[in-house]
Amino acid sequence: MWLLLTFDLPVKTKQQAKDANRFRLFLLDQGFEMAQYSVYLRYCSGKSEAKKYIRRIASQIPSIGKVDILRFTDQQYEQIVSFNKGGRQERKNPSQFVLF
């Protein structure tokens, strides 16, 4: 399962910019990767793990702004069509880790 988080946080004042930056750093610390400036992705092993991250995110959202979280399956993730530097890029799910 994947989480796609999008946000629109105001940065008109120094405090708002600081809060927005703190939120971005929190997402990176939680294992999200930046897809675009206000769009972050994270792989979760299932619904329960996704719910855990959604609760964590909810506790860190600045008081002003908009945050949306979409959940979708691995199969849906692989259907994403991306273009970068004029070329099409296919999405692949991450390989599963092997623990010894």
Side-chain angles (χ1 to χ4, degrees), residues 6 19 22 31 63-64:
T6 65
D19 290 345
R22 186 179 301 126
S63 59
I64 300 174

Side-chain angles (χ1 to χ4, degrees), residues 17-40:
K18 187 176 179 179
D19 290 345
N21 192 48
R22 186 179 301 126
F23 186 66
R24 284 187 198 93
L25 292 174
F26 167 77
L27 294 174
L28 293 172
D29 286 343
Q30 293 298 305
F32 283 80
E33 88 178 50
M34 187 171 73
Q36 293 183 13
Y37 191 63
S38 294
V39 179
Y40 286 73

Side-chain angles (χ1 to χ4, degrees), residues 44-100:
C44 296
S45 61
K47 286 183 182 180
S48 61
E49 186 179 16
K51 287 179 183 180
K52 175 182 77 172
Y53 281 102
I54 291 170
R55 282 192 304 273
R56 287 181 186 174
I57 292 163
S59 71
Q60 297 295 317
I61 296 172
S63 59
I64 300 174
K66 182 173 179 2
V67 175
D68 292 313
I69 303 172
L70 293 87
R71 294 184 300 181
F72 51 94
T73 66
D74 295 344
Q75 194 172 30
Q76 291 167 322
Y77 176 83
E78 288 182 342
Q79 299 299 314
I80 295 173
V81 178
S82 295
F83 294 89
N84 188 11
K85 299 178 184 175
R88 183 177 174 142
Q89 294 181 327
E90 299 298 325
R91 298 274 182 164
K92 297 285 185 207
N93 279 308
S95 300
Q96 291 189 359
F97 293 103
V98 177
L99 299 175
F100 297 93

